[in-house]
Amino acid sequence: DGGITQSPKYLFRKEGQNVTLSCEQNLNHDAMYWYRQDPGQGLRLIYYSQIVNDFQKGDIAEGYSVSREKKESFPLTVTSAQKNPTAFYLCASSIGAGVGEKLYFGSGTQLSVL
Amino acid sequence: AQSVTQLDSHVSVSEGTPVLLRCNYSSSYSPSLFWYVQHPNKGLQLLLKYTSAATLVKGINGFEAEFKKSETSFHLTKPSAHMSDAAEYFCVVLPEDTGRRALTFGSGTRLQVQP
């Protein structure tokens, strides 16, 4: 089955530690996205990538980093600079980054701080 | 900058009664608008989308939304609520007048359906 796989489902971070969230898709989509979901705030865009080896900052990129070395993979690193990392992280993809593109979402990773 | 405002954080209806989830957008141009639904412990799913064709858009599970440019609204409706409609609903905009090609989500409306 085609889809988006996020791992792990739950992740715990110690203070000062960098952690990486995995996102893999086998839909052959060009565009991939990372969103952060906090209660009552909806989804906020962290980073997105329209094509391999290229990515752009979203609304809340500070404290995060990404890479897009392969079309199917778009890992997100939550660095120690992100002071409030506890949230639900959603990865998504779309065929392209054009008008009316449907997003396909993964099942998410819940990150908590120890 | 484009944005969406979901006017209600929580809506509660009885099963079999109509559903209205309100969304207003701000945009200098004609944006692409979407409604997504998130069921508990499930991923987000596209309900419907508006991309400057017909102003009344029909989606899955009996939902529909009407684009009203004069009111800058894109409210989601359903004639008769079902228990399985209980979920969180997001109004979403894809701005067309900036270089950014990524969706902007509203803050969400949690729909409760009472038996």
Side-chain angles (χ1 to χ4, degrees):
Chain A
D1 286 338
I4 298 179
T5 302
Q6 288 188 244
S7 62
K9 190 171 183 178
Y10 299 97
L11 186 59
F12 297 91
R13 193 192 89 165
K14 296 179 181 178
E15 193 170 338
Q17 184 183 41
N18 292 353
V19 293
T20 298
L21 284 61
S22 171
C23 178
E24 303 278 332
Q25 55 100 356
N26 60 4
L27 300 167
N28 199 33
H29 285 174
D30 284 320
M32 297 187 74
Y33 313 80
W34 274 105
Y35 286 90
R36 169 177 169 146
Q37 185 175 20
D38 295 278
Q41 294 191 50
L43 277 69
R44 292 181 290 168
L45 182 67
I46 304 173
Y47 270 97
Y48 69 105
S49 168
Q50 298 183 60
I51 199 167
V52 175
N53 292 322
D54 184 57
F55 49 83
Q56 287 80 41
K57 293 182 178 180
D59 298 315
I60 54 166
E62 186 174 351
Y64 300 97
S65 66
V66 294
S67 63
R68 187 83 188 278
E69 298 176 1
K70 298 186 297 181
K71 186 176 186 178
E72 57 270 23
S73 179
F74 191 41
L76 174 74
T77 296
V78 184
T79 73
S80 57
Q82 173 49 246
K83 299 306 180 188
N84 184 23
T86 297
F88 189 58
Y89 291 84
L90 284 161
C91 178
S93 72
S94 62
I95 294 173
V99 173
E101 295 292 354
K102 175 182 175 180
L103 286 185
Y104 294 77
F105 282 88
S107 55
T109 293
Q110 176 64 50
L111 175 63
S112 302
V113 177
L114 290 175
Chain B
Q2 282 68 35
S3 67
V4 288
T5 302
Q6 292 185 245
L7 299 168
D8 306 292
S9 58
H10 291 85
V11 170
S12 183
V13 301
S14 298
E15 191 174 20
T17 64
V19 175
L20 170 63
L21 305 183
R22 299 183 295 166
C23 172
N24 286 102
Y25 69 92
S26 66
S27 175
S28 302
Y29 297 79
S30 292
S32 293
L33 293 160
F34 309 76
W35 277 97
Y36 276 80
V37 60
Q38 185 176 35
H39 288 276
N41 302 315
K42 290 186 180 180
L44 280 139
Q45 181 184 20
L46 178 66
L47 266 182
L48 51 81
K49 65 179 181 181
Y50 166 78
T51 54
S52 73
T55 56
L56 182 63
V57 183
K58 294 188 184 298
I60 62 172
N61 301 333
F63 284 94
E64 61 182 38
E66 186 172 7
F67 174 72
K68 291 186 176 180
K69 188 172 183 178
S70 61
E71 299 177 9
T72 61
S73 69
F74 190 57
H75 301 333
L76 182 70
T77 61
K78 183 173 181 177
S80 176
H82 191 272
M83 295 296 290
S84 61
D85 294 328
E88 184 134 24
Y89 292 80
F90 295 95
C91 184
V92 184
V93 64
L94 175 65
E96 297 193 33
D97 61 341
T98 71
R100 193 174 105 165
R101 307 302 295 166
L103 300 180
T104 297
F105 282 71
S107 56
T109 297
R110 183 163 296 278
L111 176 64
Q112 289 182 309
V113 182
Q114 309 290 342

